[in-house]
C-alpha cells in the first residue's frame, strides 16, 4: 500500500496536474477518503507471491484506479 506520507505526497502531486491522470493503489479507507474528489474505480487484480508461479501462490486483491476524467 505504501506509507501514509507517500500516499499524501501522491495526492498533493495529482492535485497540481493540469492534464489527465490515472493512478492505482490497493483499496483502503485512507485512499478512498483522501482521493474522494476524483473518480474512483474498483478493480480486482491477481498478485504472484514470492515470484513462484504455482497456482497456490496467486492471490486476488481489490485495487482502485483513480482518475480526474
Amino acid at each position: 500500500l505504501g506509507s501514509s506520507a507517500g500516499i499524501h505526497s501522491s495526492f498533493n502531486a495529482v492535485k497540481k496536474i493540469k492534464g489527465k491522470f490515472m493512478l492505482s493503489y490497493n483499496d483502503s479507507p485512507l485512499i478512498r477518503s483522501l482521493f474522494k474528489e476524483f473518480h474512483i474505480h474498483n478493480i480486482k487484480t491477481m498478485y504472484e507471491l514470492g515470484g513462484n508461479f504455482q497456482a497456490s501462490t496467486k492471490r486476488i486483491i481489490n485495487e482502485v484506479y483513480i482518475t480526474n476524467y
Side-chain angles (χ1 to χ4, degrees):
L1 176 63
S3 70
S4 179
I7 294 167
H8 282 85
S9 177
S10 294
F11 174 71
N12 289 328
V14 299
K15 284 194 316 184
K16 298 174 187 174
I17 293 175
K18 304 231 186 277
K20 294 180 180 179
F21 76 84
M22 179 188 292
L23 180 68
S24 71
Y25 270 109
N26 289 345
D27 194 1
S28 77
L30 172 61
I31 295 296
R32 288 183 175 275
S33 174
L34 194 59
F35 290 90
K36 66 184 175 217
E37 68 189 75
F38 301 108
H39 302 281
I40 298 175
H41 310 270
N42 303 309
I43 57 172
K44 291 191 184 293
T45 190
M46 187 175 299
Y47 274 63
E48 297 284 344
L49 303 177
N52 186 340
F53 295 105
Q54 296 175 349
S56 62
T57 64
K58 293 179 182 176
R59 181 171 67 133
I60 296 175
I61 66 162
N62 293 316
E63 284 198 356
V64 293
Y65 69 92
I66 302 157
T67 67
N68 63 349
Y69 56 91

